[in-house]
Amino acid sequence: MAISNNITALLNFIALLCSIPIIGSGIWLSSKPDNECISLFRWPILFIGILILFVSLAGFVGAYWNKPGLLACHLFCMSILIVALLFAVVFAFIVTRPDGSYLVPGRGYKEYKLDGFNNWLQNYVNKGGNWRKIKTCLSASNVCDKVSQHNYVSADQFFMSHDISPLQSGCCKPPTVCGYGYVNPILWLNPTNPTADPDCYAWNNDQSQLCYGCNSCKAGLLGNLRKEWRKANVVLIISVVILIVIYVIGCCAFKNAQTEDLFDRYKQGWI
C-alpha cells in the first residue's frame, strides 16, 4: 500500500510541475495584443493549467495521507482535464494549419489573405459583432504605435523588416498591390492601383482607423494568432503527452493500492 501511494504521490508531483508550463503558455498567449482583443482564445489554456495544478495537488495530498476517495476524485477530474487539454491542442493544430500567407510578386516578403485561413477562423472574425469589438480593441491598443517608432527609409525596408508582425503588416499599412506611396510607416498617399483590392479604399491615414476595417487586418490578426498558437502548441503537446503517461501509471498504481488494501484486510480476517 505504501509503495503504491508513494508512486502516486510522486506522479502527482510531476503532474503539478507539468501544469507550470501550461499556465505559462496561457499567460504568454493572454498577454499578446491580438489575444487581448479576442476573449474566446485568451483564457482557456490558462484556466486548464490552473485546474491541473489544483487537481494534481489534491492527488498528492490523497496519496500522501492515504485518502482513497480523494484519489478517485482526482483521477476522475484529471481525466476530464486531460481530454479538455487534448481537445484544445488538436483543435488549435487543425484551425491554425493553413497560414494564409502569400509571396508578393516581385518582392521578397509575404502578406496575408483572409481566405487563406481556416474557415472556422474566417467565420469568427467576419461575424459583425465579433469584428466590431476586435477592431475597437486593436484601435485602442498600441499595435501600430510601435510601427511608427521605427525610421524606415523606404517601403521595401518597411515591408521586409523582421520587426513587423503579421498583425502590424495587415492593420498598419495598405496592401502592396494598391500602390500607395510611402511617406512613413503610418502615412501612405496617392495609390496607383486603387481598384486592385477593396482594402485600397478602406485605408485611412487617420491613426484611429488606418486599415482596421480591412480584410488584410483580419488576415494579419489570424496570422499572428497562428504564429503564437503554433509556438504554444509545442509546449502543450509535450505536457499533454507527459500527463497521459502519468495518468495511466497513476491508474495502475491506484488499482494496485486498492488490491493490496483488500488483500491486507483478507489476511486480517475482515472479509
Side-chain angles (χ1 to χ4, degrees):
M1 183 74 169
I3 295 176
S4 296
N5 280 350
N6 287 340
I7 293 174
T8 304
L10 177 61
L11 292 172
N12 279 290
F13 180 73
I14 297 173
L16 188 149
L17 294 178
C18 280
S19 70
I20 295 175
I22 298 173
I23 294 172
S25 297
I27 293 173
W28 180 74
L29 286 171
S30 65
S31 67
K32 295 297 179 179
D34 44 3
N35 282 286
E36 287 180 2
C37 295
I38 304 183
S39 57
L40 177 65
F41 304 123
R42 190 175 182 186
W43 302 116
I45 297 300
L46 180 58
F47 284 155
I48 291 174
I50 292 173
L51 289 174
I52 289 174
L53 173 66
F54 283 111
V55 170
S56 299
L57 184 60
F60 180 83
V61 171
Y64 192 82
W65 278 280
N66 189 23
K67 304 290 184 181
L70 185 58
L71 278 175
C73 181
H74 150 263
L75 289 173
F76 174 76
C77 293
M78 186 61 78
S79 66
I80 295 175
L81 291 174
I82 289 175
V83 170
L85 181 59
L86 186 60
F87 174 81
V89 168
V90 172
F91 178 77
F93 179 81
I94 292 173
V95 299
T96 60
R97 188 172 183 182
D99 70 354
S101 66
Y102 67 95
L103 190 64
V104 178
R107 306 294 180 95
Y109 54 83
K110 293 181 178 181
E111 290 184 341
Y112 295 84
K113 282 284 189 182
L114 184 59
D115 58 10
F117 288 94
N118 178 272
N119 288 334
W120 188 89
L121 290 176
Q122 289 185 52
N123 292 335
Y124 182 82
V125 296
N126 275 327
K127 190 175 179 181
N130 290 341
W131 185 247
R132 279 193 298 271
K133 294 177 182 177
I134 294 170
K135 182 170 68 172
T136 301
C137 176
L138 290 174
S139 179
S141 71
N142 63 349
V143 170
C144 291
D145 291 342
K146 294 178 180 178
V147 175
S148 65
Q149 295 171 4
H150 295 277
N151 295 317
Y152 302 110
V153 297
S154 68
D156 283 345
Q157 184 185 16
F158 169 77
F159 287 132
M160 297 180 69
S161 171
H162 295 294
D163 296 329
I164 303 302
S165 69
L167 178 63
Q168 293 168 329
S169 175
C171 300
C172 307
K173 69 168 188 62
T176 302
V177 70
C178 301
Y180 272 88
Y182 174 84
V183 180
N184 62 50
I186 51 177
L187 181 61
W188 303 75
L189 301 172
N190 305 322
T192 58
N193 193 16
T195 60
D197 192 304
D199 285 350
C200 299
Y201 292 105
W203 169 260
N204 193 312
N205 285 311
D206 184 333
Q207 301 306 294
S208 65
Q209 297 186 44
L210 298 179
C211 220
Y212 294 125
C214 303
N215 282 330
S216 63
C217 187
K218 297 176 183 178
L221 174 73
L222 296 183
N224 252 38
L225 283 174
R226 179 186 185 275
K227 182 179 179 181
E228 291 158 5
W229 274 89
R230 300 292 274 195
K231 288 181 179 178
N233 250 16
V234 175
V235 175
L236 297 178
I237 288 172
I238 294 173
S239 298
V240 78
V241 168
I242 294 174
L243 286 173
I244 290 173
V245 173
I246 289 173
Y247 182 79
V248 172
I249 298 174
C251 286
C252 293
F254 179 73
K255 182 179 178 181
N256 288 339
Q258 298 308 302
T259 302
E260 290 173 10
D261 183 56
L262 185 64
F263 183 70
D264 288 342
R265 292 184 181 184
Y266 179 79
K267 288 197 300 182
Q268 295 174 19
W270 289 2
I271 298 180

